[in-house]
Amino acid sequence: MTMRLIVAGAAGRMGRALINLIATSEGVTLAAALESPQSPVLGQDAGALAGCRSLRVPVSSDALAAVAAADGILDFSTPRASIELVALAAQARIVHVIGTTGFSAEDEARVAAAAHHAVIVKSGNMSLGVNLLASLVEQAARALGPDYDIEIVETHHRMKIDAPSGTALLLGEAAARGRGIALAEHSLRARDGATGPRKSGAIGFASLRGGTIVGEHSVIFAGPGERLELSHKAEDRGIFARGALHAALWGRDKKPGLYTMADVLGAP
């Protein structure tokens, strides 16, 4: 049976990539394309907006009507929009794939509560390569131990609104798991002025922004006399779109719960 999908954040870079992918993929169809009530693209054909053929699906802000006629949501929007959508997904008991980043602790709690009723796949990055990288980072952190300082450097396009990126935080969580510590208690986000020596055990983050860079992430393990670097470079947003679509199809026959891309991909 064809899976009817909603794309939230339809006018964004990822939204357009998802619409294009759905238009050229078998087994899925675009049920709705959502944007904010203030968006200038409301009413436009979603396919034309994305630069592909006409799909006869106008961009809308009516999330309630969209969810009533869909099997899943592909969501790369904003935290506020995602929290509204996850409540609707829970009511309708449909799949909600969340690639949105920048959630607060309260937002995360709402997502977790909604997962009692909906299949939610949430990840700071949907690509196979990044999720494999996270697995390697966890292994390296466990093997190298606290004598190796961990720094995570991420670079994105100038329009990205949150920092550190969701992918950087995903990698930081992997490093923290490897060390058996809580990232929130060992995260170092900014340095300015006379900061003194580096605190032992900290997991540092550095965020760079500029141009049209899709996404680059490096995890540096700096130890006595040597340095190990694990890196990933995204060259095409299509990798994230394909991962999100794969996650939606995977989640269709799963029980309600909060899943990650590691679950989807069967990564350790």
Side-chain angles (χ1 to χ4, degrees), residues 191-199:
R191 297 184 179 94
D192 186 25
T195 60
R198 189 186 196 281
K199 184 178 178 181

Side-chain angles (χ1 to χ4, degrees), residues 130 133-135 137-138 152 166-176 183 203 205 217-219:
V130 163
L133 173 61
S135 179
V137 166
E138 182 175 348
I152 299 173
T167 303
L169 294 174
L170 180 152
L171 296 172
E173 291 286 1
L183 180 62
I203 297 176
F205 292 85
H217 296 82
S218 293
V219 182

Side-chain angles (χ1 to χ4, degrees), residues 200-250:
S200 179
I203 297 176
F205 292 85
S207 299
L208 310 179
R209 297 287 179 268
T212 58
I213 299 168
V214 175
E216 298 181 2
H217 296 82
S218 293
V219 182
I220 302 168
F221 294 87
E226 64 176 355
R227 184 173 70 247
L228 171 66
E229 296 187 21
L230 300 174
S231 300
H232 179 272
K233 294 183 179 181
E235 299 175 351
D236 179 1
R237 286 184 180 82
I239 62 173
F240 311 128
R242 289 190 292 274
L245 182 57
H246 181 68
L249 291 166
W250 174 89

Side-chain angles (χ1 to χ4, degrees), residues 5-69:
L5 295 172
I6 299 166
V7 171
R13 292 177 176 86
M14 277 304 306
R16 294 194 300 269
L18 285 164
I19 292 169
N20 266 292
L21 181 62
I22 291 170
T24 57
S25 298
E26 295 183 359
V28 293
T29 188
L30 183 67
L34 294 177
E35 263 299 335
S36 69
Q38 298 79 31
S39 175
V41 304
L42 292 181
Q44 292 187 27
D45 181 88
L49 176 66
C52 62
R53 61 183 172 84
S54 173
L55 299 176
R56 297 184 180 180
V57 177
V59 179
S60 168
S61 62
D62 191 345
L64 182 60
V67 168

